Amino acid sequence: MVVEQDTVDGRKLRGERRRAQIIEATLAIVHRDGAAGVTHRTVAKEAGITTSLTLYYFATLDDLLVAALTSVTDAYTQRIRQLVDTEDDPLDGLARLIAESGGPGRERALAERELATLAARRPALRPAARSWRDSVAELARTQTNDPAAIEPFIALCDGLCTAVLLDGHEADPDHIRAVLSGALPRPGS
């Protein structure tokens, strides 16, 4: 019986690795060619596998795009959760995360931004696209007791991310932190 369990676990692990490989290929295509360049065929070619294998793991193009966007937003959500749970200054951490979009995190941020924008036309992507905004709202609620400030703060973060991507060069996290801080009324204000 132990041998059977090891076989099942091995297959599950291989399946998880294959899914991750397909998702990474999808993100590479989105970064290079935009979301319009994503097809099962192009992803298979990028990943070095057969088209039928991409279809096995992701039956529809929406399934594939949702998985790619979820992969990116889950990573952002996890980082923001860590900021909320462990940082003395979560705004500084958020500013640094946003600034990464102009440097080492540019490829992922660009893919996330393009896929999140595509969610306006593809409803299947909307829940994954909202997770970044939900995480930013959670962080903002730790900084202010003014519920009316949360939505503008989220919009500011979205705008800063877009601006960093459009600028195409390293961003100043201290400047971003100052802008974020100025947008939130402090508790008791």
Side-chain angles (χ1 to χ4, degrees):
M1 196 70 155
V2 172
V3 172
E4 185 177 315
Q5 184 63 37
D6 289 344
T7 303
V8 171
D9 288 345
R11 277 186 270 176
K12 182 178 178 184
L13 184 59
R14 280 191 302 279
E16 289 171 4
R17 280 193 214 131
R18 182 65 74 188
R19 282 180 58 83
Q21 176 189 13
I22 294 167
I23 290 168
E24 286 305 313
T26 303
L27 291 171
I29 291 168
V30 171
H31 177 256
R32 184 182 64 236
D33 304 328
V38 175
T39 66
H40 279 91
R41 181 173 283 126
T42 60
V43 170
K45 183 177 180 184
E46 182 77 22
I49 59 175
T50 64
T51 302
S52 61
L53 203 50
T54 66
L55 286 162
Y56 174 79
Y57 286 99
F58 302 99
T60 69
L61 194 55
D62 274 355
D63 291 342
L64 185 56
L65 293 171
V66 166
L69 180 56
T70 300
S71 165
V72 175
T73 57
D74 282 356
Y76 284 132
T77 299
Q78 181 180 19
R79 290 198 49 200
I80 292 172
R81 165 88 347 249
Q82 285 178 309
L83 294 173
V84 169
D85 291 343
T86 64
E87 291 293 318
D88 292 333
D89 186 0
L91 281 184
D92 184 65
L94 181 60
R96 293 188 186 290
L97 179 61
I98 291 170
E100 282 179 21
S101 298
R106 181 172 174 72
E107 287 184 22
R108 281 200 171 288
L110 188 58
E112 185 273 337
R113 187 66 30 179
E114 177 144 358
L115 291 170
T117 300
L118 185 62
R121 294 189 186 274
R122 297 184 94 127
L125 291 168
R126 290 180 188 158
R130 285 188 188 108
S131 76
W132 156 261
R133 297 172 60 80
D134 293 344
S135 297
V136 170
E138 181 183 350
L139 186 146
R141 283 190 285 278
T142 70
Q143 303 297 301
T144 185
N145 56 8
D146 181 358
I150 303 301
E151 191 173 337
F153 184 78
I154 295 166
L156 173 63
C157 290
D158 282 344
L160 287 168
C161 288
T162 300
V164 168
L165 286 170
L166 289 173
D167 288 346
H169 55 76
E170 296 279 332
D172 178 3
D174 294 329
H175 172 73
I176 293 170
R177 198 240 178 263
V179 171
L180 293 175
S181 181
L184 286 176
R186 302 302 290 175
S189 298

